[in-house]
Amino acid sequence: MSEPLADFLARAAAGLSPDPPGPDDPTSNPRGDHSLDPDGTAVIPPPPHRRAAVLVPVVPRADGPTLILTMRAANLRDHSGQVALPGGKIDPSDPGPADAALREAYEEIGLPPEAVRFLGYLDPYLSGTGFLVTPVIGLVDPGAVLTPNPDEVADVFEVPLPFLMDPERYRLRSRAWQGRERWFYALTFGERLIWGVTAGILNNLRERLYPEAAPGDADRAAR
């Protein structure tokens, strides 16, 4: 096992939650982009929140761990063309968030559930549209062959994990949304912009596993 992978797995064992957060968990009042509002005037979507789960797929490559991200298809009704993590709504038939995340990852990018080793959960993240998203961290077999569903995914790509765990990559940005100023984290990888819920979840992964580094501040925001 390489040193970078061993370091990541040790951090994951120490920093991730083994059990999913429940409705009575302290995180039932979860973080979200609303937490980033410097004036504290952001509107928090009221409960009941719709439950969702995403897979945060980490791949142990020879040059170091990478993380799989997708580009959503342009024809989708919600968040078309945006960078995302594989995932979606938790169905009543799903035993739990991990099962939902694995099912969605298989439907979206053809990732076999048996190719994923469960590592733990991050804090739930509340989207501006009222979805309470539970991130599931998994270690993906590097030999797994992905087959993206073109109806849902336009592209699948990998980003080096150290790139995403670098706090200097994250910038606090804002834009007008439904008559209010919405604040969110954003970072760029090549020509791709990673922002919103996806960037918020990745920043939470950084906070959990690499707390020795401080995040970018609003005064460094890209304008």
Side-chain angles (χ1 to χ4, degrees), residues 51-58 67-70 72 79 83-90 94 96-106 108 111 116 118 120-125 127 131-138 197-202 204:
R51 300 279 169 160
V54 295
L55 182 65
V56 183
V58 177
L67 195 146
I68 297 172
L69 291 171
T70 72
R72 290 173 60 82
H79 311 295
V83 173
L85 292 157
K89 289 183 288 187
I90 299 177
D94 292 319
D99 302 272
L102 291 173
R103 174 182 56 76
E104 288 282 349
Y106 180 70
E108 290 182 13
L111 176 61
V116 182
F118 171 78
Y121 296 93
L122 289 176
D123 302 321
Y125 204 91
S127 76
F131 278 99
L132 187 60
V133 183
T134 298
V136 181
I137 316 304
V197 172
T198 299
I201 289 172
L202 294 176
N204 183 226

Side-chain angles (χ1 to χ4, degrees), residues 95-164:
D99 302 272
L102 291 173
R103 174 182 56 76
E104 288 282 349
Y106 180 70
E107 293 174 0
E108 290 182 13
I109 62 174
L111 176 61
E114 61 271 16
V116 182
R117 170 185 161 192
F118 171 78
L119 296 179
Y121 296 93
L122 289 176
D123 302 321
Y125 204 91
L126 182 59
S127 76
T129 53
F131 278 99
L132 187 60
V133 183
T134 298
V136 181
I137 316 304
L139 189 69
V140 176
D141 181 347
V145 178
L146 305 182
T147 308
N149 179 351
D151 292 331
E152 298 190 46
V153 175
D155 191 20
V156 179
F157 61 100
E158 296 182 25
V159 182
L161 187 65
F163 181 96
L164 297 172

Side-chain angles (χ1 to χ4, degrees), residues 19-106:
D19 301 308
D24 299 323
D25 191 276
T27 54
S28 59
N29 183 21
R31 299 169 56 185
D33 287 353
H34 60 271
S35 306
L36 304 176
D37 185 350
D39 297 327
T41 59
V43 175
I44 303 174
H49 300 134
R50 293 170 287 177
R51 300 279 169 160
V54 295
L55 182 65
V56 183
V58 177
V59 187
R61 299 296 185 192
D63 295 335
T66 64
L67 195 146
I68 297 172
L69 291 171
T70 72
M71 184 76 73
R72 290 173 60 82
N75 62 295
L76 293 175
R77 183 180 62 181
D78 298 321
H79 311 295
S80 60
Q82 293 184 13
V83 173
L85 292 157
K89 289 183 288 187
I90 299 177
D91 290 342
S93 58
D94 292 319
D99 302 272
L102 291 173
R103 174 182 56 76
E104 288 282 349
Y106 180 70

